[in-house]
Amino acid sequence: MAIGSKELASKQLDGFDKDRLVEELRKAKEELFNLRFQSATGQLESHGRLRVVKRDIARIYTVLRERELGIRPEVVAPVEEAAPEKAAKKSKKKATESEAEAKVAEDDAK
């Protein structure tokens, strides 16, 4: 018997950054609301889905709280690579800065 949804396994939640976890939490709460509404109107087909969604919400809250306490490491969102033009400008700027530093060091040595 599988507990929880396969989409939100705790190992997978470890790879999500905080923004993604908050977004998943919002989706799960919305789904829980819809399931409760269906249950109240007698349209719910799968009562087990209520339990699964509640557990997913609890799992997300647990991961967020453990990160807050420092038990789990924070996941940093991947840094997007700069455009080639920007990267070329940055490398030219660094080169001119290092040349200026070399001149200053050379003058200090004299």
Side-chain angles (χ1 to χ4, degrees):
M1 182 174 156
I3 297 176
S5 64
K6 294 179 182 177
E7 299 91 33
L8 294 178
S10 56
K11 293 208 185 271
Q12 185 180 9
L13 290 175
D14 285 339
F16 291 169
D17 62 340
K18 186 176 179 180
D19 294 333
R20 175 83 188 269
L21 283 174
V22 171
E23 179 63 24
E24 291 295 328
L25 181 63
R26 187 195 60 76
K27 287 180 188 176
K29 283 185 172 185
E30 186 176 325
E31 182 178 0
L32 181 62
F33 173 80
N34 291 333
L35 289 172
R36 283 183 175 159
F37 194 87
Q38 288 175 5
S39 177
T41 58
Q43 298 174 353
L44 185 62
E45 295 179 10
S46 174
H47 294 285
R49 186 70 185 145
L50 279 167
R51 176 182 281 182
V52 169
V53 174
K54 285 180 184 179
R55 287 186 180 180
D56 287 343
I57 291 170
R59 193 173 294 117
I60 293 169
Y61 273 130
T62 301
V63 170
L64 287 170
R65 181 65 177 152
E66 286 178 349
R67 287 185 182 173
E68 225 176 79
L69 296 173
I71 297 171
R72 286 186 195 236
E74 275 294 324
V75 176
V76 179
V79 178
E80 295 181 21
E81 292 185 23
E85 296 170 0
K86 290 182 181 179
K89 288 180 183 178
K90 285 183 181 180
S91 62
K92 287 180 184 178
K93 185 176 180 180
K94 285 182 181 179
T96 56
E97 287 175 358
S98 61
E99 289 173 3
E101 289 174 2
K103 282 185 176 183
V104 170
E106 198 175 286
D107 292 340
D108 289 341
K110 290 182 181 179

